[in-house]
Amino acid sequence: AQSVTQLGSHVSVSEGALVLLRCNYSSSVPPYLFWYVQYPNQGLQLLLKYTSAATLVKGINGFEAEFKKSETSFHLTKPSAHMSDAAEYFCAVSDKGTYKYIFGTGTRLKVLA
Amino acid sequence: NAGVTQTPKFQVLKTGQSMTLQCAQDMNHNSMYWYRQDPGMGLRLIYYSASEGTTDKGEVPNGYNVSRLNKREFSLRLESAAPSQTSVYFCASMSRSQGGPNYGYTFGSGTRLTVV
């Protein structure tokens, strides 16, 4: 069964510092991969998605993620953190041919002034 | 505004009571989903409906039932609520025509349910 692992349930960075949130998937066949963001007391919002086109995917709010097949990873990065980036981030995976997403356990990002 | 609407936003139930969580989308999406979110566990799929007229179990279906009333609406029912069902419930929808499963979900704002 498809699964996704997010390393680090909590990550703290200083404002202006690099943001790196880690996601690894388990699949012998490259799946579809997603990052979602959840602000407090809100639903989830799509940040970006990988669908086997470019391996470097750009999303909203300056975030990007790189698909690395050899490492089965899809880490999320942002060059310079902003206070408004504080939220919980979820990585999700979907097998091609299915319409179900499997979510990771989430990483809560804290941005320090 | 177009999107996924969930009702109610908050609910407190006593153990053994029943209730139905409602979800409606106005984006003409084919597929609809119910997830629960618990601290440290991410989102877990309860049930989904790939298209109108079909429903399937997800990862954690026990204690729940669903109805795909029409293309717009997908309800989740708790027949006899238990404290273990205290959670935040999210409904989501996705179009199967706009790129299929690589399109991404649209989520509702959630229902916070407490069972005492």
Side-chain angles (χ1 to χ4, degrees):
Chain A
Q2 187 66 266
S3 66
V4 61
T5 302
Q6 291 184 242
L7 292 175
S9 58
H10 292 82
V11 171
S12 294
V13 299
S14 298
E15 191 173 22
L18 172 72
V19 175
L20 171 61
L21 305 181
R22 300 177 187 274
C23 173
N24 288 87
Y25 66 91
S26 66
S27 177
S28 59
V29 177
Y32 296 128
L33 292 157
F34 307 83
W35 276 99
Y36 283 83
V37 60
Q38 184 182 32
Y39 298 103
N41 300 314
Q42 294 187 26
L44 280 74
Q45 178 182 350
L46 182 65
L47 265 182
L48 50 79
K49 59 186 178 183
Y50 167 75
T51 58
S52 74
T55 56
L56 182 62
V57 181
K58 295 187 182 300
I60 61 172
N61 301 338
F63 284 94
E64 62 183 36
E66 186 172 9
F67 173 73
K68 292 187 177 180
K69 182 179 177 180
S70 60
E71 299 177 8
T72 60
S73 69
F74 190 58
H75 302 331
L76 182 70
T77 60
K78 182 174 181 178
S80 177
H82 192 273
M83 297 297 288
S84 60
D85 294 328
E88 190 157 21
Y89 293 80
F90 292 92
C91 183
V93 63
S94 171
D95 284 331
K96 292 179 181 178
T98 75
Y99 292 86
K100 298 182 295 181
Y101 295 176
I102 305 299
F103 286 83
T105 52
T107 298
R108 189 172 297 276
L109 176 66
K110 185 175 182 179
V111 182
L112 307 172
Chain B
N1 289 338
V4 179
T5 302
Q6 291 184 237
T7 56
K9 293 190 182 302
F10 301 93
Q11 184 71 48
V12 179
L13 289 179
K14 294 182 179 179
T15 298
Q17 286 186 316
S18 62
M19 80 159 294
T20 299
L21 280 63
Q22 306 287 353
C23 175
Q25 52 88 12
D26 57 6
M27 297 170 288
N28 201 35
H29 284 176
N30 309 92
S31 302
M32 297 184 74
Y33 307 80
W34 277 105
Y35 283 85
R36 59 177 288 173
Q37 182 181 22
D38 302 291
M41 303 189 76
L43 279 80
R44 293 180 291 169
L45 183 62
I46 305 171
Y47 270 94
Y48 67 103
S49 172
S51 60
E52 186 179 357
T54 68
T55 60
D56 286 286
K57 295 179 179 179
E59 183 183 355
V60 288
N62 291 344
Y64 305 95
N65 284 301
V66 291
S67 295
R68 183 75 183 266
L69 304 172
N70 47 55
K71 192 172 185 179
R72 290 187 63 248
E73 298 172 286
F74 188 40
S75 62
L76 178 71
R77 183 161 178 84
L78 287 70
E79 291 291 351
S80 179
S84 61
Q85 294 178 304
T86 293
S87 187
V88 181
Y89 291 85
F90 286 100
C91 178
S93 70
M94 180 171 67
S95 171
R96 296 180 68 175
S97 59
Q98 293 174 312
N102 67 352
Y103 183 72
Y105 287 168
T106 299
F107 280 91
S109 58
T111 296
R112 190 174 296 273
L113 176 67
T114 302
V115 183
V116 298

